Amino acid sequence: MKSYRIRIWKVSTKKAGNRPHMARWVVEEKVFTEHFATWELADSFRAKVKKAAQNGEAFDTETGLPDSMLRAQNTTSWYAHAVDYVDARWAKVSGRQRISIAETLVAVTPVLVRDQRGAPDADVLRAALYKWAFNKQQRAADKSDEIAQALDWISKASIPVSDLAEYDRITAALEACASKRDGTAAAPGYYSRRRRVLFNVLRYAVSKKRLAKNPLSEDLDWKAPEAEVCEEIDPAAVASPEQVRELLTAVSYAGWRRGDRLVAFFACMYYAMMRPSEVAALRQHDCTLPEKGWGRLMLSGSAPAVGTQWTDSGQVHEHRGLKGRPRKAKRSVPIPPQLVAILRNHIQRYGVAPDGRLFRTERGGVLHKSGYIRTWKTARALALTPAQSATQLAKRPYDLRHAGVSLRLNAGVPASQVAQWAGHSVEVLLKIYAKCIDGQDQVWHTMLDAALEDNASP
């Protein structure tokens, strides 16, 4: 808590003791004292306190110090603060969030230094920060002399956290957040994610009294450079129902050991609009699969791949709740008869894992992203024409989810309902997913022709 109610008393002196001279002042009726060996030192301290009060500085009611003296007293470097923040947040966030924090700090930390004298190679420094400094589990692991020297340099060259209150410093940090490694502008979404992390790191500094206030809480006369990117889904990337059927058929031929086992995996992404991590966590008890008609999936978790170095279990995948929802939240998704039949056939042929998972490797493990992406590339080459393969059409497996969302929107399902099924906000749905399906222009032309004819005057 801060206060401007300050009273400063004269220096008093006792007759005994090693520090007989005392400076005393009052903040919000709370008395604070400092003892000194000489009268001159006590008077000098009193003069600093008095000057701060005359300058209109706020005083901290816990320490009794004005903002300027509190900042000077706190000499924590940015690097030390960043490491402290990582450790404070480690047990409270997911593996993906740990990576996001590390990536942001790796981008910002190299620019928050006093000077570049003796700086290590940029790639070495980035590796040292990402793999060791900002990874709590790996920090004590063995490291090469080159890595150790890079960490020693950054620890000495890093500026005090309090310097982030200066315009040039905070804007340098923002510029680092808004730039890619080659210096070009990063995508707006990427910059926004980094800025959120930086805001939280600075907020933590305020809570630790390493900063008087969060500089990002105020309007800054600074604007991120605009990247030449489009966050919208390219219409050419969204496959039509016919193209999806061809792709799923091709998946069954894309490798005699893996391909056919992945047909249902990719089908879930299209017909149920699921994320890959949600499909990987799907269990038999989550599925209602009648012999005829529509079925339903009750989604309750996901298994994103984050890497062994970022999970508490040391496994590649981390078992989490649904994205952007409380840990125990569930999402109900109705699925069409086509997917019901595909899932029933998959269970009949391959069974389920002991824990009920529908999709797993031949050895029972969680599906790896690298494996199903290779299968998708093979299937895409088999299903599409050379001209289509050269485009962005269904380039990634995730494009199946985009296609499933677009299918429902174009079929006339209300955006709010599609958003609920897909598991994101209506705002994101309309901004990102509301796109045209490849090759469907003729459908809309026919509808418009009919509308124009119906409204034509006799």
Side-chain angles (χ1 to χ4, degrees):
M1 181 177 174
K2 302 293 183 179
S3 175
Y4 295 91
R5 296 175 57 192
I6 315 298
R7 286 187 292 123
I8 305 171
W9 295 352
K10 293 181 179 180
V11 174
S12 61
T13 303
K14 297 179 180 180
K15 293 183 179 180
N18 295 328
R19 296 189 298 166
H21 306 283
M22 180 176 67
R24 186 165 51 164
W25 70 105
V26 179
V27 180
E28 284 287 336
E29 306 304 326
K30 186 176 181 180
V31 179
F32 295 90
T33 60
E34 286 287 344
H35 297 268
F36 300 90
T38 66
W39 184 91
E40 288 77 14
L41 289 174
D43 188 58
S44 175
F45 179 86
R46 177 183 180 276
K48 292 179 181 179
V49 174
K50 184 177 181 179
K51 183 179 180 180
Q54 291 173 340
N55 289 338
E57 289 189 34
F59 280 62
D60 181 63
T61 57
E62 294 296 324
T63 64
L65 297 177
D67 288 341
S68 58
M69 295 178 69
L70 198 60
R71 288 195 298 271
Q73 185 184 71
N74 193 327
T75 58
T76 302
S77 71
W78 165 261
Y79 172 73
H81 171 72
V83 171
D84 183 29
Y85 178 80
V86 169
D87 291 353
R89 295 294 297 163
W90 190 267
K92 302 175 183 178
V93 298
S94 67
R96 285 281 178 87
Q97 289 174 298
R98 292 169 182 174
I99 292 174
S100 182
I101 291 171
E103 288 178 343
T104 300
L105 294 177
V106 167
V108 170
T109 300
V111 305
L112 298 181
V113 294
R114 296 183 179 89
D115 57 60
Q116 293 291 332
R117 287 179 297 180
D121 177 79
D123 289 337
V124 172
L125 180 58
R126 290 180 64 89
L129 293 173
Y130 185 77
K131 296 181 180 180
W132 281 274
F134 301 140
N135 187 317
K136 183 180 179 180
Q137 293 182 163
Q138 300 297 317
R139 195 175 301 138
D142 293 338
K143 53 185 73 71
S144 67
D145 291 342
E146 188 178 41
I147 294 296
Q149 291 169 7
L151 294 178
D152 182 61
W153 178 85
I154 193 65
S155 67
K156 294 177 180 178
S158 184
I159 63 173
V161 177
S162 56
D163 283 7
L164 270 295
E166 300 175 7
Y167 177 83
D168 289 345
R169 293 299 192 183
I170 189 60
T171 53
L174 289 173
E175 287 172 2
C177 290
S179 304
K180 295 190 289 188
R181 292 185 63 180
D182 60 4
T184 59
Y190 197 57
Y191 163 68
S192 296
R193 184 165 63 252
R194 283 180 167 183
R195 191 185 188 281
R196 286 195 297 272
V197 172
L198 179 61
F199 181 92
N200 290 331
V201 177
L202 295 173
R203 184 171 62 179
Y204 181 71
V206 174
S207 71
K208 289 292 185 177
K209 301 188 184 302
R210 296 166 185 169
L211 268 176
K213 57 184 177 181
N214 192 332
L216 293 185
S217 297
E218 301 179 349
D219 291 333
L220 291 172
D221 184 19
W222 184 87
K223 183 180 180 181
E226 296 184 2
E228 295 183 0
V229 298
C230 179
E231 290 191 306
E232 299 176 347
I233 301 302
D234 184 352
V238 184
S240 68
E242 294 80 7
Q243 290 167 335
V244 171
R245 286 194 290 270
E246 290 293 330
L247 286 163
L248 293 179
T249 300
V251 167
S252 65
Y253 296 100
W256 65 274
R257 297 180 63 182
R258 181 192 294 138
D260 200 47
R261 301 173 68 96
L262 289 174
V263 172
F265 179 86
F266 292 123
C268 285
M269 296 176 64
Y270 177 67
Y271 290 110
M273 303 172 291
M274 295 173 67
R275 300 177 176 91
S277 60
E278 294 171 344
V279 184
L282 187 65
R283 288 171 166 76
Q284 187 174 22
H285 64 74
D286 299 326
C287 308
T288 300
L289 306 173
E291 293 186 4
K292 293 184 179 179
W294 283 66
R296 185 169 296 274
L297 302 181
M298 187 63 70
L299 309 183
S300 59
S302 62
V306 297
T308 58
Q309 293 183 338
W310 299 96
T311 60
D312 294 328
S313 64
Q315 301 295 317
V316 173
H317 294 82
E318 183 178 48
H319 295 283
R320 305 286 301 179
L322 297 173
K323 183 177 179 180
R325 296 195 176 194
R327 182 67 179 87
K328 296 183 179 180
K330 295 185 178 183
R331 187 171 89 244
S332 177
V333 184
I335 57 174
Q338 292 89 335
L339 180 56
V340 172
I342 292 173
L343 289 175
R344 286 174 64 89
N345 179 65
H346 177 85
I347 294 172
Q348 183 179 0
R349 292 189 62 181
Y350 302 108
V352 298
D355 62 358
R357 281 179 296 116
L358 269 62
F359 304 105
R360 60 201 190 283
T361 63
E362 286 185 297
R363 296 181 179 180
V366 180
L367 292 176
H368 287 266
K369 182 178 180 180
S370 59
Y372 69 71
I373 283 182
R374 284 197 300 269
T375 299
W376 184 254
K377 288 182 178 180
T378 301
R380 190 171 177 272
L382 292 172
L384 303 180
T385 66
Q388 290 173 328
S389 295
T391 69
Q392 296 297 310
L393 177 63
K395 190 74 173 180
R396 311 164 305 160
Y398 204 95
D399 291 328
L400 289 169
R401 172 171 155 85
H402 297 163
V405 171
S406 296
L407 173 70
R408 286 160 176 78
L409 289 173
N410 288 337
V413 179
S416 57
Q417 183 62 73
V418 178
Q420 179 182 332
W421 291 337
H424 48 59
S425 67
V426 175
E427 179 185 6
V428 170
L429 182 86
L430 297 178
K431 180 180 179 181
I432 305 297
Y433 291 95
K435 303 301 155 199
C436 301
I437 296 176
D438 185 59
Q440 297 291 292
D441 286 354
Q442 189 58 46
V443 175
W444 317 130
H445 293 170
T446 302
M447 293 175 62
L448 288 171
D449 286 341
L452 290 171
E453 290 177 0
D454 290 342
N455 288 284
S457 56

